[in-house]
Amino acid sequence: MEVFEAYRDSILPLADIVTPNQFEAELLTGITIRSEKDALAAIDRLHSRGVPTVIISSSDLGDDKNLIGFGSAVNQGAGKLRFRMNIPRLPASFTGTGDLFTALLLAWMTKTGDLQRSCDITVSTLQAVLKRTWKHFQENCQDSQPCLRHLELRLIQSKRDIENPVVSVQCLNI
């Protein structure tokens, strides 16, 4: 646990943006997330450790159709921005979505400087990539269970969606 504690206590406070999923946020904060209130408490704990921008990239707080994500930014003198993301759920687990989420978010934050708009674009782009990947799986996998090679993210095939995303998901202020 020494490496984890060093990361949580020494490295995390140096970050400008963190993008944990629910499990990672629980681990970093010690707060079990069972409600929106819990998610916001976990975000506030991360803010209190010096991180100005926190995005819980996904949680199981939604339903059969949606995952829920949360975003928050503390701006000096401007208060706190908080929003939730209703993320359409697809019937498979994909590897690499957290990494892609973070890469897209950082790229769009650099381009727009607007956290909420960047999350709209990020989640929409990620959805386009995942839908293309799911379609590839359905068309090519003969196995009854999803196989990893057919669920590998279709990034090259999604180049146009990544470069020129169509915003299909809107973050909601909370």
Side-chain angles (χ1 to χ4, degrees):
M1 271 304 202
E2 288 180 25
V3 172
F4 169 73
E5 290 166 353
Y7 175 81
R8 183 194 62 210
D9 300 336
S10 299
I11 298 172
L12 184 67
L14 301 174
D16 292 323
I17 300 173
V18 294
T19 60
N21 61 31
Q22 178 180 342
F23 171 77
E24 294 161 341
E26 289 175 338
L27 195 60
L28 289 169
T29 64
I31 296 172
T32 301
I33 299 174
R34 292 196 175 109
S35 67
E36 183 173 297
K37 182 179 176 183
D38 295 337
L40 296 176
I43 286 172
D44 286 339
R45 179 145 316 152
L46 292 168
H47 283 318
S48 74
R49 291 187 176 150
V51 182
T53 302
V54 179
I55 306 294
I56 296 180
S57 59
S58 66
S59 74
D60 291 327
L61 298 180
D63 53 28
D64 292 344
K65 295 182 180 179
N66 290 291
L67 300 169
I68 305 293
F70 298 93
S72 179
V74 178
N75 301 325
Q76 293 178 342
K80 196 179 287 185
L81 167 70
R82 290 187 185 268
F83 56 89
R84 70 184 276 156
M85 301 171 282
N86 295 320
I87 305 165
R89 186 187 297 260
L90 294 172
S93 293
F94 302 90
T95 301
T97 55
D99 294 333
L100 180 57
F101 181 95
T102 300
L104 291 167
L105 179 67
L106 293 177
W108 284 106
M109 280 294 295
T110 300
K111 189 169 186 169
T112 70
D114 181 328
L115 177 63
Q116 195 163 345
R117 176 81 177 133
S118 295
C119 282
D120 290 344
I121 297 168
T122 295
V123 173
S124 297
T125 304
L126 190 54
Q127 281 295 301
V129 172
L130 294 179
K131 286 176 182 175
R132 180 170 283 106
T133 303
W134 181 246
K135 182 179 178 190
H136 173 77
F137 160 76
Q138 290 178 311
E139 293 172 351
N140 294 285
C141 186
Q142 306 302 317
D143 302 335
S144 60
Q145 293 291 349
C147 47
L148 293 178
R149 68 187 171 100
H150 289 116
L151 288 176
E152 184 174 318
L153 297 180
R154 311 304 291 168
L155 295 174
I156 302 301
Q157 297 81 355
S158 301
K159 181 180 184 288
R160 201 170 290 133
D161 293 313
I162 293 168
E163 293 175 337
N164 300 298
V166 174
V167 176
S168 60
V169 177
Q170 297 278 316
C171 298
L172 307 169
N173 288 325
I174 51 176

